[in-house]
């Protein structure tokens, strides 16, 4: 079956080499790259992994830095990778929403072929996902270009982990209320926002939103996917692996345990992503 991976990270070589220097001024980069689960991966390594596991294309992001200059360097890398691997790597650009230059960089990235923005990271980049003022400009640009934005979110319950952060379903819902016309993906199951789509008003409120499965093996039992389809949110769930920290094999095991129908698997593994990218 055709597979689109909606959430992977790739990193230019210099990031690994200059890790300590950059980490000294980017506290969340310090935290995440010191974590025992951290793995580095280049564009070439991503495509090799995709070939091996039968992934057709991947929405690839880098690291969402607080520093807008570093964001621009990340975008140069991912946009170049997309040119080198056309149709395989679909680039996502990072911007630091509250820093000068973010809006211009979003435009530059879209002009150069970025498929969307993301994975933006409230805690790491010091912006508030629920604040309309801070995100108005970049959401306006996404609308102008008909592009989507991917935000990191995490369930505000359960175990702590490096990079979990303090933004979850409540803030994601506030974003949808502030920007009902902005197409948005909330990573890591939207920090649980999908469950609230069983409330009629929340179904309506989240009509612009999708959720991805990134880090599923570390977070939820297989049956979360059955629950998502059971409450009618199956058209909102995108397969995303969070490669290189997790690979397709772990997800295949989980998917096999769900007993999802062929149609449901198609929606999860490519159909919903194709609609997002259309
Ligand atoms: Zn994330």
């Amino acid at each position: 079956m055709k597979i689109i991976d909606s959430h992977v990270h790739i990193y230019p070589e210099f990031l690994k080499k200059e890790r300590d220097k950059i980490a000294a001024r980017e506290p969340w980069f310090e935290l995440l790259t010191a974590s025992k689960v951290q793995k580095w991966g280049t564009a070439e390594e991503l495509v090799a992994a995709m070939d091996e596991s039968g992934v057709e294309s991947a929405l690839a992001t880098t690291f969402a830095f607080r520093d807008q200059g570093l964001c621009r360097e990340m975008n140069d890398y991912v946009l170049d990778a997309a040119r080198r691997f056309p149709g395989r790597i679909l680039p996502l650009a990072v911007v630091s929403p509250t820093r000068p230059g973010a809006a211009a960089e979003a435009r530059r990235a879209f002009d150069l072929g970025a498929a969307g923005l993301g994975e933006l990271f409230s805690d790491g980049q010091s912006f508030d996902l629920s604040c309309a003022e801070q995100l108005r400009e970049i959401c306006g640009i996404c609308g102008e270009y008909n592009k989507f934005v991917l935000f990191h979110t995490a369930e505000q319950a359960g175990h702590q982990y490096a990079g979990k952060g303090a933004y979850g379903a409540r803030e994601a819902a506030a974003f949808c209320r502030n920007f009902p016309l902005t197409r948005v993906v909330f990573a890591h199951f939207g920090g649980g926002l999908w469950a609230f789509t069983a409330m009629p008003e929340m179904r309506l409120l989240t009509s612009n939103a999708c959720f991805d499965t990134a880090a599923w093996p570390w977070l939820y039992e297989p049956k979360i996917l059955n629950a998502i389809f059971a409450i009618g949110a199956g058209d909102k769930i995108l397969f995303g692996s969070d490669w290189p920290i997790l690979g397709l094999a772990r997800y295949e095991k989980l998917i096999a345990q769900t007993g999802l129908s062929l149609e449901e698997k198609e929606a999860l593994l490519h159909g919903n992503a194709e609609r997002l990218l259309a």
Side-chain angles (χ1 to χ4, degrees):
M1 185 180 295
K2 176 176 178 178
I3 301 172
I4 300 175
D5 190 336
S6 299
H7 186 142
V8 306
H9 295 267
I10 54 175
Y11 309 103
E13 297 277 7
F14 81 84
L15 215 51
K16 196 171 157 183
K17 285 194 200 106
E18 294 175 29
R19 186 256 167 209
D20 292 352
K21 207 171 84 192
I22 296 168
R25 55 194 173 99
E26 292 278 347
W28 284 80
F29 182 69
E30 156 71 28
L31 180 78
L32 281 158
T33 55
S35 153
K36 61 181 187 302
V37 303
Q38 165 64 16
K39 285 191 181 123
W40 301 94
T42 62
E44 286 72 18
E45 287 164 341
L46 169 64
V47 172
M50 288 164 67
D51 287 343
E52 203 176 304
S53 49
V55 174
E56 186 172 301
S57 48
L59 279 160
T61 183
T62 47
F63 192 92
F65 286 105
R66 201 162 58 177
D67 181 276
Q68 184 54 47
L70 277 171
C71 286
R72 187 185 165 105
E73 287 187 67
M74 294 301 101
N75 297 340
D76 284 341
Y77 178 71
V78 79
L79 290 164
D80 177 65
R83 279 189 289 271
R84 289 187 287 124
F85 298 102
R88 306 297 307 283
I89 293 184
L90 312 174
L92 292 178
V94 287
V95 297
S96 191
T98 58
R99 299 295 161 116
E105 179 58 11
R107 283 183 194 284
R108 184 186 79 98
F110 288 150
D111 286 336
L112 292 172
L117 297 180
E119 178 189 9
L120 305 190
F121 182 23
S122 294
D123 302 87
Q125 297 184 296
S126 309
F127 72 89
D128 180 351
L129 178 58
S130 64
C131 175
E133 199 53 47
Q134 291 180 6
L135 295 170
R136 185 164 290 126
E137 205 171 13
I138 62 160
C139 287
I141 295 165
C142 285
E144 232 178 86
Y145 283 82
N146 192 28
K147 303 285 184 181
F148 66 92
V149 53
L150 162 67
F151 290 106
H152 172 87
T153 47
E155 62 295 318
Q156 296 305 302
H159 67 281
Q160 266 306 329
Y161 53 87
K164 178 167 178 161
Y167 290 80
R170 185 198 303 258
E171 292 76 21
F175 177 89
C176 292
R177 198 174 301 114
N178 291 336
F179 300 105
L181 300 178
T182 301
R183 295 191 303 143
V184 60
V185 180
F186 296 114
H188 318 295
F189 299 92
L193 184 61
W194 65 271
F196 296 98
T197 65
M199 297 164 74
E201 91 262 21
M202 292 299 289
R203 170 63 49 87
L204 200 62
L205 186 79
T206 57
S207 51
N208 57 335
C210 289
F211 313 109
D212 77 33
T213 64
W216 179 13
W218 291 335
L219 298 173
Y220 290 99
E221 292 179 3
K223 58 191 167 205
I224 185 175
L225 253 293
N226 306 88
I228 288 171
F229 280 95
I231 65 167
D235 57 345
K236 291 179 171 299
I237 188 74
L238 309 169
F239 165 68
S241 68
D242 228 350
W243 186 94
I245 58 171
L246 282 159
L248 183 71
R250 295 281 300 271
Y251 291 85
E252 277 175 331
K253 272 190 207 143
L254 291 175
I255 293 167
Q257 290 174 63
T258 61
L260 291 182
S261 70
L262 181 64
E263 291 73 22
E264 289 168 339
K265 281 185 197 161
E266 280 174 345
L268 169 70
L269 292 171
H270 65 91
N272 294 339
E274 283 167 332
R275 272 205 321 283
L276 180 73
L277 292 164

